[in-house]
Short mmCIF file of all heavy atoms in Angstrom, two decimals:
data_model
loop_
_atom_site.label_atom_id
_atom_site.label_comp_id
_atom_site.label_asym_id
_atom_site.label_seq_id
_atom_site.Cartn_x
_atom_site.Cartn_y
_atom_site.Cartn_z
N ALA A 13 0.83 -1.20 0.00
CA ALA A 13 0.01 0.00 0.00
C ALA A 13 0.86 1.25 0.00
O ALA A 13 0.60 2.20 -0.77
CB ALA A 13 -0.93 0.00 1.22
N ILE A 14 1.87 1.27 0.82
CA ILE A 14 2.76 2.44 0.92
C ILE A 14 3.53 2.66 -0.39
O ILE A 14 3.62 3.77 -0.91
CB ILE A 14 3.74 2.29 2.09
CG1 ILE A 14 3.00 2.34 3.42
CG2 ILE A 14 4.83 3.37 2.04
CD1 ILE A 14 3.86 1.98 4.63
N ASN A 15 4.08 1.57 -0.94
CA ASN A 15 4.87 1.67 -2.15
C ASN A 15 4.00 2.05 -3.37
O ASN A 15 4.43 2.80 -4.24
CB ASN A 15 5.59 0.37 -2.43
CG ASN A 15 6.70 0.09 -1.44
OD1 ASN A 15 7.12 0.99 -0.72
ND2 ASN A 15 7.18 -1.12 -1.39
N SER A 16 2.77 1.52 -3.42
CA SER A 16 1.91 1.79 -4.56
C SER A 16 1.44 3.24 -4.58
O SER A 16 1.28 3.83 -5.65
CB SER A 16 0.66 0.88 -4.51
OG SER A 16 1.03 -0.49 -4.64
N PHE A 17 1.24 3.81 -3.40
CA PHE A 17 0.74 5.18 -3.31
C PHE A 17 1.74 6.10 -2.64
O PHE A 17 1.37 6.98 -1.87
CB PHE A 17 -0.60 5.18 -2.58
CG PHE A 17 -1.67 4.37 -3.28
CD1 PHE A 17 -1.87 3.05 -2.95
CD2 PHE A 17 -2.44 4.94 -4.29
CE1 PHE A 17 -2.84 2.28 -3.59
CE2 PHE A 17 -3.41 4.20 -4.93
CZ PHE A 17 -3.62 2.86 -4.58
N ASN A 18 3.02 5.87 -2.95
CA ASN A 18 4.08 6.66 -2.29
C ASN A 18 4.01 8.15 -2.60
O ASN A 18 4.43 8.97 -1.81
CB ASN A 18 5.46 6.10 -2.60
CG ASN A 18 5.72 6.07 -4.11
OD1 ASN A 18 4.89 6.40 -4.92
ND2 ASN A 18 6.91 5.60 -4.48
N LYS A 19 3.45 8.50 -3.76
CA LYS A 19 3.35 9.91 -4.12
C LYS A 19 2.35 10.62 -3.21
O LYS A 19 2.39 11.83 -3.08
CB LYS A 19 2.91 10.04 -5.58
CG LYS A 19 3.96 9.58 -6.59
CD LYS A 19 3.49 9.81 -8.00
CE LYS A 19 4.56 9.37 -9.01
NZ LYS A 19 4.10 9.55 -10.41
N SER A 20 1.45 9.86 -2.60
CA SER A 20 0.44 10.46 -1.70
C SER A 20 1.00 10.69 -0.31
O SER A 20 0.37 11.37 0.51
CB SER A 20 -0.80 9.56 -1.62
OG SER A 20 -1.35 9.32 -2.90
N GLY A 21 2.18 10.13 -0.04
CA GLY A 21 2.80 10.32 1.26
C GLY A 21 2.07 9.67 2.41
O GLY A 21 2.12 10.15 3.55
N LEU A 22 1.37 8.58 2.12
CA LEU A 22 0.60 7.90 3.17
C LEU A 22 1.52 7.15 4.10
O LEU A 22 2.42 6.40 3.68
CB LEU A 22 -0.39 6.91 2.56
CG LEU A 22 -1.52 7.53 1.70
CD1 LEU A 22 -2.33 6.41 1.04
CD2 LEU A 22 -2.42 8.40 2.56
N SER A 23 1.33 7.30 5.40
CA SER A 23 2.11 6.54 6.38
C SER A 23 1.36 5.25 6.70
O SER A 23 0.17 5.11 6.41
CB SER A 23 2.28 7.37 7.67
OG SER A 23 1.05 7.55 8.31
N SER A 24 2.06 4.32 7.36
CA SER A 24 1.40 3.07 7.75
C SER A 24 0.25 3.31 8.71
O SER A 24 -0.78 2.63 8.67
CB SER A 24 2.43 2.11 8.36
OG SER A 24 3.05 2.69 9.49
N SER A 25 0.41 4.32 9.58
CA SER A 25 -0.67 4.63 10.54
C SER A 25 -1.93 5.15 9.82
O SER A 25 -3.05 4.75 10.17
CB SER A 25 -0.19 5.67 11.54
OG SER A 25 0.89 5.19 12.31
N VAL A 26 -1.75 6.00 8.86
CA VAL A 26 -2.89 6.54 8.11
C VAL A 26 -3.58 5.43 7.33
O VAL A 26 -4.82 5.33 7.32
CB VAL A 26 -2.42 7.66 7.13
CG1 VAL A 26 -3.56 8.06 6.19
CG2 VAL A 26 -1.93 8.87 7.92
N ILE A 27 -2.79 4.59 6.71
CA ILE A 27 -3.36 3.46 5.95
C ILE A 27 -4.14 2.53 6.87
O ILE A 27 -5.26 2.11 6.56
CB ILE A 27 -2.23 2.68 5.24
CG1 ILE A 27 -1.68 3.50 4.09
CG2 ILE A 27 -2.75 1.34 4.72
CD1 ILE A 27 -0.45 2.93 3.44
N LEU A 28 -3.58 2.21 8.03
CA LEU A 28 -4.24 1.33 8.98
C LEU A 28 -5.58 1.95 9.42
O LEU A 28 -6.59 1.23 9.52
CB LEU A 28 -3.35 1.11 10.18
CG LEU A 28 -3.86 0.15 11.26
CD1 LEU A 28 -4.07 -1.24 10.68
CD2 LEU A 28 -2.88 0.10 12.43
N ASN A 29 -5.63 3.24 9.67
CA ASN A 29 -6.84 3.90 10.08
C ASN A 29 -7.91 3.85 9.00
O ASN A 29 -9.10 3.65 9.28
CB ASN A 29 -6.58 5.36 10.48
CG ASN A 29 -5.81 5.49 11.78
OD1 ASN A 29 -5.85 4.58 12.62
ND2 ASN A 29 -5.10 6.56 11.94
N LYS A 30 -7.47 4.03 7.76
CA LYS A 30 -8.41 3.99 6.63
C LYS A 30 -8.97 2.57 6.44
O LYS A 30 -10.16 2.40 6.15
CB LYS A 30 -7.73 4.45 5.34
CG LYS A 30 -7.43 5.96 5.32
CD LYS A 30 -6.70 6.35 4.05
CE LYS A 30 -6.39 7.86 3.99
NZ LYS A 30 -7.60 8.68 3.87
N LEU A 31 -8.12 1.60 6.61
CA LEU A 31 -8.57 0.19 6.48
C LEU A 31 -9.57 -0.14 7.58
O LEU A 31 -10.61 -0.81 7.34
CB LEU A 31 -7.40 -0.76 6.57
CG LEU A 31 -6.33 -0.68 5.46
CD1 LEU A 31 -5.23 -1.71 5.73
CD2 LEU A 31 -6.95 -0.92 4.10
N SER A 32 -9.30 0.32 8.80
CA SER A 32 -10.16 0.02 9.94
C SER A 32 -11.52 0.70 9.83
O SER A 32 -12.51 0.22 10.37
CB SER A 32 -9.49 0.45 11.24
OG SER A 32 -8.28 -0.25 11.45
N ALA A 33 -11.57 1.82 9.12
CA ALA A 33 -12.81 2.58 8.96
C ALA A 33 -13.72 2.02 7.88
O ALA A 33 -14.90 2.41 7.80
CB ALA A 33 -12.50 4.05 8.67
N ALA A 34 -13.20 1.12 7.04
CA ALA A 34 -13.99 0.58 5.95
C ALA A 34 -15.03 -0.42 6.48
O ALA A 34 -14.93 -0.92 7.59
CB ALA A 34 -13.09 -0.09 4.94
N ALA A 35 -15.99 -0.73 5.61
CA ALA A 35 -17.12 -1.59 6.02
C ALA A 35 -16.84 -3.07 5.83
O ALA A 35 -17.71 -3.89 6.13
CB ALA A 35 -18.38 -1.19 5.22
N VAL A 36 -15.67 -3.41 5.32
CA VAL A 36 -15.32 -4.83 5.15
C VAL A 36 -14.04 -5.11 5.91
O VAL A 36 -13.38 -4.21 6.43
CB VAL A 36 -15.13 -5.18 3.65
CG1 VAL A 36 -16.45 -4.98 2.91
CG2 VAL A 36 -14.04 -4.38 3.00
N SER A 37 -13.63 -6.36 5.95
CA SER A 37 -12.49 -6.75 6.77
C SER A 37 -11.17 -6.20 6.24
O SER A 37 -11.01 -6.03 5.03
CB SER A 37 -12.40 -8.28 6.83
OG SER A 37 -11.97 -8.82 5.61
N GLU A 38 -10.28 -5.94 7.16
CA GLU A 38 -8.94 -5.49 6.76
C GLU A 38 -8.21 -6.51 5.89
O GLU A 38 -7.45 -6.17 5.02
CB GLU A 38 -8.09 -5.18 8.01
CG GLU A 38 -8.54 -3.99 8.83
CD GLU A 38 -9.59 -4.31 9.87
OE1 GLU A 38 -10.11 -5.45 9.83
OE2 GLU A 38 -9.90 -3.44 10.70
N ARG A 39 -8.50 -7.80 6.17
CA ARG A 39 -7.85 -8.85 5.38
C ARG A 39 -8.24 -8.73 3.89
O ARG A 39 -7.35 -8.80 3.02
CB ARG A 39 -8.26 -10.23 5.90
CG ARG A 39 -7.76 -11.38 5.02
CD ARG A 39 -8.32 -12.71 5.51
NE ARG A 39 -7.66 -13.17 6.71
CZ ARG A 39 -6.55 -13.87 6.72
NH1 ARG A 39 -5.97 -14.24 5.59
NH2 ARG A 39 -6.00 -14.27 7.86
N ASP A 40 -9.51 -8.56 3.61
CA ASP A 40 -9.96 -8.46 2.22
C ASP A 40 -9.37 -7.22 1.56
O ASP A 40 -8.96 -7.25 0.39
CB ASP A 40 -11.49 -8.39 2.15
CG ASP A 40 -12.13 -9.77 2.31
OD1 ASP A 40 -11.59 -10.73 1.74
OD2 ASP A 40 -13.16 -9.88 3.00
#
């Protein structure tokens, strides 16, 4: 996720928060 969207400057913490806020499982 970080490498694919590195231009967006997303950190692992931001990505984790976005995944947790979604309506489906983090695994999917």
Side-chain angles (χ1 to χ4, degrees):
I14 292 171
N15 291 345
S16 297
F17 298 93
N18 57 358
K19 292 183 180 179
S20 303
L22 295 174
S23 67
S24 58
S25 297
V26 171
I27 290 172
L28 184 61
N29 289 336
K30 290 178 180 291
L31 296 180
S32 299
V36 298
S37 72
E38 291 88 349
R39 174 186 284 272
D40 282 320

